[in-house]
Amino acid sequence: MKRGEKKAFLWIGISVAVIAAITITLEVQHQDLQVVSILKDAKDAVSMHKHGGSINIPVGIEADDLPDTESRGATMLTLYCAQCHELPPPSMHTAAEWQQVIARMKEFMRLRGGGMLMRTITPPEKDWAILETYLATHAQVPLDKKHTSDLDTPAGKAFQEICSQCHGAPSPDTHTVNEWPRVVLRMKSHIIRTGKTMPSQDVLMQIIEYLQKHSKTS
Ligand code: HEC
Ligand code: HEC
């Protein structure tokens, strides 16, 4: 190879390297901006919840308190679903609601995890079904309107209105007379935490009585 040719090759090599470096820098910057904007959305969502806004952020539970702790589903939930907020309990939604929540979370994870900057780890596409089945198995039981009476009484209406603010109204026959007051007390603390509509003590008592009247018998 002549000296001139060598020089030409060298210059071509340098040019290619420079173009590649510029392309990568621009691409990273673009990704960075995208990541920053999604991070900001997530942060806004969290601060809104702190200020009594209406966006739901899951109340965290401990991984050890998950149902079926040793299962793949529980492991996946712990690994993937506590990266942006606390670990969501499977009982906070019905199976149908989980499908919608999962679709939204998938989108958040795609936006934050795709491309060159891996900010969130995302399950392989084939494994999502395991997580979905796990959530569906331990999901909340929805109200069966056809087989529940007194729904159009004032107490029945208050129950449906107040108890469907974060999840669908639940089935009254999933708890006993003695269990319901404790469950409702816990819901009261979720209402305070999220700034949702709190009924008067009087209405809350009516809701508890409604739930007890239609509760599980044993
Ligand atoms: C990339 C960040 C991110 C990851 C990872 C993530 N979430 Fe979320 N999640 C959010 C944001 C932001 C919100 C609040 C806005 C909203 O609900 O759309 C939220 C809200 C929620 C809520 C409350 C909203 C509701 O409708 O009750 C639940 C439940 C939830 N996530 C479950 C999950 C599950 C299950 C996973 C794992 C598959 C997961 N999240 C992974 C960002 C994330
Ligand atoms: C501010 C949001 C919010 C409101 C309003 C709310 N819940 Fe819940 N609910 C949750 C969350 C979060 C969970 C999962 C964590 C837990 O069980 O405490 C849940 C879980 C449940 C469960 C399944 C867990 C179990 O112990 O069986 C039932 C049943 C339930 N709620 C009933 C009710 C009833 C009845 C009302 C109305 C008095 C109500 N919820 C109102 C947030 C809410």
Side-chain angles (χ1 to χ4, degrees):
M1 209 186 281
K2 281 192 207 131
R3 234 184 124 210
E5 270 175 358
K6 248 191 193 162
K7 229 177 173 177
F9 273 118
L10 192 66
W11 277 113
I12 290 170
I14 290 172
S15 309
V16 169
V18 168
I19 290 168
I22 291 172
T23 313
I24 290 172
T25 310
L26 286 177
E27 177 66 18
V28 168
Q29 262 178 6
H30 171 76
Q31 296 268 350
D32 237 357
L33 282 178
Q34 206 183 25
V35 168
V36 167
S37 79
I38 296 152
L39 273 177
K40 196 175 156 287
D41 284 352
K43 244 169 67 192
D44 285 350
V46 173
S47 67
M48 234 180 113
H49 130 74
K50 282 195 182 133
H51 293 105
S54 64
I55 289 179
N56 289 341
I57 296 290
V59 239
I61 58 163
E62 295 299 322
D64 286 345
D65 294 335
L66 282 176
D68 220 349
T69 319
E70 298 295 314
S71 66
R72 272 275 315 273
T75 310
M76 283 183 71
L77 196 75
T78 310
L79 191 61
Y80 298 111
C81 302
Q83 299 181 86
C84 303
H85 46 61
E86 293 178 357
L87 186 60
S91 65
M92 80 182 275
H93 282 298
T94 62
E97 288 161 12
W98 273 125
Q99 284 187 351
Q100 292 173 1
V101 174
I102 287 288
R104 241 174 33 245
M105 297 309 130
K106 246 180 161 168
E107 185 57 15
F108 284 135
M109 287 162 105
R110 191 186 66 77
L111 290 170
R112 254 183 76 177
M116 277 184 256
L117 300 176
M118 299 294 288
R119 293 294 167 100
T120 341
I121 45 162
T122 311
E125 197 53 44
K126 64 173 172 51
D127 287 355
W128 276 100
I130 299 169
L131 184 59
E132 283 166 20
T133 307
Y134 173 77
L135 288 171
T137 308
H138 302 287
Q140 197 175 118
V141 183
L143 171 68
D144 178 355
K145 287 196 180 179
K146 275 200 201 108
H147 299 101
T148 312
S149 50
D150 302 333
L151 280 170
D152 53 0
T153 59
K157 282 182 183 157
F159 153 63
Q160 290 175 82
E161 201 183 304
I162 296 299
C163 303
S164 66
Q165 296 183 87
C166 307
H167 46 65
S171 172
D173 67 8
T174 50
H175 287 288
T176 62
V177 169
N178 289 332
E179 283 165 1
W180 271 124
R182 255 184 297 145
V183 176
V184 172
L185 195 66
R186 223 170 58 234
M187 298 308 134
K188 225 178 129 178
S189 70
H190 293 318
I191 293 176
I192 293 170
R193 183 181 60 83
T194 54
K196 300 275 178 187
T197 304
M198 179 72 87
S200 65
Q201 196 55 32
D202 200 39
V203 172
L204 210 58
M205 286 311 294
Q206 283 180 38
I207 293 175
I208 292 175
E209 279 162 20
Y210 177 89
L211 289 164
Q212 288 178 319
K213 186 176 167 200
H214 300 278
S215 63
K216 185 158 79 177
T217 36
S218 61

